[in-house]
Amino acid sequence: MNPREAALNSLNKWEANGAFSNIELNTVISRSDMEKNDISLYTLLFLGVIEKLYLLDSIIDEYSKIPPSKIEPATKNVLRLGIYQLLFTDKIPEYSAVSESVNLADKRSKGFVNALLRSFIRSGRAYSLPEEKWQRISIENSIPMDIINVFRESYGDEIASALCTYPPRKSHLSLRVNTLKISTDELACKIKESGCLAEASQIARDIIITNAPISLVQYIIDDGLAFVQDESSRIASMVVGAMPNEAVADVCACPGGKSFSIAIDMENKGELYSSDLHENKLSLITKSAKKLGVDIINIKAQNAKEFVPEYEGKFDRVLCDVPCSGLGVIFKKPDIKYKPIENINALPSVQYDILKNSAKYVKKGGVLVYSTCTLNSAENENNIKRFISENPSFMMEDFEIGNVKSKEGGYTFFPHIDSTDGFYVAKMRRKND
């Protein structure tokens, strides 16, 4: 299968079955015998079309002589791929973009695909955009208006505009060094030996940023010397501040990155309770912990909203990295943008219930940390303000890690400012009285 065929198949699955793009991408690559350049093209086309979906569809609507609702989904995906190549790639000739797209189309739609793409080329690849500012931003950057409104209401028009026009993240890998086995400098040298860049993060010094593809460093991960973790996610576990011989809980632990970071911070000494609603995913934590040489993690399938009596007042530190809308990672996982807004609106109450329940597990004088990978004040600051107002036994506590300084105990990571995922973290301490 060539990369364009693979991209078309993946887009058809993504649209028809609601497949997650990252899972589909990894599945195809792991099972493929495509060459490295073909895999790169497949990845570019598959994720690129999802990323620019609204703009591509707007162009199809503008140039099609067939009503959009009458175009078969598979044919529309062929057109999306063709237009994406014409607009966003500089090494693919026009004739190749057109002919390859026609080859992908079924017999009935070959003429239609050919005519539309050639008409687009004859126009100089021109297309129209709405005159109204936010509608134009929505189409040009393929951000639904519902999400734009979330950003505007949360952070104001200036930050909302910056978020909506922020380019997709450049490909790089963030690796959390397993300092139980190797130092940051030693691991960086090991990666550099393969001819790739590798340097310590300016935010979290035990995170290495590298341009190495995951395949090149997989042996490092398999040997338990590191695991994938974004800088902002690492900060959340650093804010927890876990120390050796403490009792710590991570109540929404899967896929496990923060639990692993906390265990390493604890020097693999003490007790770490990692629970999650999805029992089938917990085995992955057990497997990865073994590779890392971590044996202080106690795994339990548990709904974080349900009270566990034996946990009451047990823990020095509790992390609530709650399920969220993921709006902070749409810059590298573009399909998140297209989730129904109703799903987002239902989350704050679930998150608050988890936070309120988990607070019961914190010892007097202990620390409670709340984090999300979203950019939405309803899921972030508003939940914390409500919690503090309704739970006078807790107070906000500022933190400073690297060049990150909290304000009133909380910090929002913005991609266009911090060059990380969008993320929110807040630190609270239970009073001794």
Side-chain angles (χ1 to χ4, degrees):
M1 184 179 295
N2 70 47
R4 292 177 177 85
E5 287 178 311
L8 178 61
N9 285 346
S10 290
L11 285 169
N12 289 340
K13 287 181 186 177
W14 175 76
E15 191 164 38
N17 306 325
F20 290 106
S21 62
N22 60 322
I23 295 175
E24 171 66 13
L25 185 76
N26 292 336
T27 300
V28 170
I29 291 174
S30 66
R31 296 176 180 174
S32 171
D33 58 0
M34 289 188 288
E35 298 292 333
K36 181 178 178 181
N37 288 342
D38 285 346
I39 288 174
S40 296
L41 179 58
Y42 158 72
T43 302
L44 173 70
L45 295 180
F46 174 45
L47 294 184
V49 167
I50 297 174
E51 194 178 279
K52 295 293 184 182
L53 194 68
Y54 282 12
L55 178 59
L56 298 173
D57 284 358
S58 176
I59 293 170
I60 292 170
D61 292 354
E62 185 174 347
Y63 281 87
S64 176
K65 294 181 180 179
I66 299 175
S69 60
K70 299 289 186 181
I71 303 175
E72 292 289 332
T75 302
K76 180 166 280 191
N77 279 329
V78 170
L79 289 168
R80 288 165 173 166
L81 284 166
I83 294 169
Y84 184 87
Q85 291 171 77
L86 292 170
L87 274 182
F88 298 107
T89 63
D90 53 11
K91 294 182 180 179
I92 298 176
E94 288 181 349
Y95 71 85
S96 180
V98 174
S99 63
E100 293 292 345
S101 297
V102 172
N103 288 341
L104 289 176
D106 61 31
K107 288 183 179 180
R108 293 178 303 166
S109 59
K110 285 183 184 294
F112 170 60
V113 168
N114 183 62
L116 190 149
L117 294 180
R118 292 195 178 281
S119 177
F120 182 53
I121 291 171
R122 285 195 301 271
S123 75
R125 309 184 201 186
Y127 55 87
S128 303
L129 289 170
E131 291 186 9
E132 197 277 324
K133 173 185 174 180
W134 294 105
Q135 290 289 341
R136 184 175 68 253
I137 286 175
S138 173
I139 297 298
E140 195 164 25
N141 300 281
S142 293
I143 306 280
M145 281 302 303
D146 286 335
I147 292 179
I148 289 177
N149 290 334
V150 167
F151 289 159
R152 292 179 71 188
E153 291 166 9
S154 296
Y155 311 111
D157 285 0
E158 183 177 348
I159 289 179
S161 179
L163 290 174
C164 291
T165 56
Y166 184 74
R169 291 192 62 182
K170 293 181 180 178
S171 178
H172 74 254
L173 195 60
S174 300
L175 294 173
R176 161 64 156 115
V177 181
N178 181 4
T179 50
L180 298 175
K181 292 188 173 186
I182 194 170
S183 72
T184 300
D185 289 342
E186 287 172 329
L187 188 59
C189 287
K190 188 179 284 286
I191 295 171
K192 288 176 182 177
E193 288 172 0
S194 64
C196 296
L197 300 175
E199 58 182 21
S201 161
Q202 296 301 307
I203 299 176
R205 301 302 294 176
D206 49 20
I207 291 281
I208 287 179
I209 307 299
T210 177
N211 63 346
I214 188 73
S215 58
L216 198 62
V217 297
Q218 188 61 52
Y219 78 98
I220 289 173
I221 296 170
D222 291 341
D223 289 345
L225 302 180
F227 57 92
V228 177
Q229 186 173 40
D230 189 77
E231 294 161 282
S232 55
S233 175
R234 172 62 182 130
I235 286 287
S237 58
M238 291 172 78
V239 171
V240 172
M243 304 290 288
N245 302 313
E246 289 187 327
V248 182
D250 180 1
V251 300
C252 300
C254 288
K258 294 182 184 67
S259 283
F260 303 146
S261 263
I262 291 169
I264 294 168
D265 290 341
M266 295 170 70
E267 300 175 11
N268 199 33
K269 300 172 185 175
E271 295 179 290
L272 175 55
Y273 288 77
S274 298
S275 56
D276 200 273
L277 179 62
H278 304 288
E279 186 170 6
N280 60 318
K281 295 181 180 179
L282 289 170
S283 61
L284 298 176
I285 295 182
T286 302
K287 183 179 178 181
S288 295
K290 186 176 181 180
K291 285 195 296 187
L292 294 166
V294 168
D295 57 18
I296 64 168
I297 300 179
N298 300 283
I299 305 295
K300 182 176 183 178
Q302 177 66 41
N303 185 336
K305 295 192 296 182
E306 296 177 358
F307 180 58
V308 181
E310 59 264 35
Y311 284 0
E312 186 168 16
K314 175 182 176 67
F315 297 103
D316 299 287
R317 303 169 195 275
V318 174
L319 171 62
C320 297
D321 183 53
V322 295
C324 69
S325 57
L327 300 183
V329 295
I330 61 174
F331 314 99
K332 64 181 185 183
K333 295 181 180 178
D335 47 344
I336 291 175
K337 295 187 290 188
Y338 309 114
K339 288 181 178 180
I341 192 67
E342 292 77 16
N343 294 2
I344 296 176
N345 293 336
L347 285 168
S349 62
V350 174
Q351 296 159 341
Y352 186 78
D353 288 345
I354 291 173
L355 179 62
K356 181 175 65 175
N357 185 55
S358 302
K360 300 170 185 175
Y361 305 153
V362 182
K363 290 179 180 179
K364 289 184 178 180
V367 168
L368 176 62
V369 173
Y370 177 89
S371 62
T372 74
C373 60
T374 196
L375 296 171
N376 178 9
S377 58
E379 298 179 68
N380 296 341
E381 294 89 347
N382 293 0
N383 263 338
I384 294 302
K385 288 176 183 176
R386 178 185 171 189
F387 176 79
I388 289 296
S389 68
E390 295 180 3
N391 295 270
S393 60
F394 282 84
M395 61 183 180
M396 301 301 297
E397 181 169 290
D398 275 320
F399 56 87
E400 182 175 346
I401 297 173
N403 57 3
V404 172
K405 296 181 181 180
S406 68
K407 183 179 180 181
E408 297 178 357
Y411 189 89
T412 301
F413 291 84
F414 292 110
H416 67 289
I417 294 173
D418 300 291
S419 299
T420 66
D421 290 344
F423 208 86
Y424 176 77
V425 60
K427 181 180 182 181
M428 295 151 280
R429 188 174 291 276
R430 186 171 185 176
K431 298 174 185 176
N432 282 309
D433 50 14

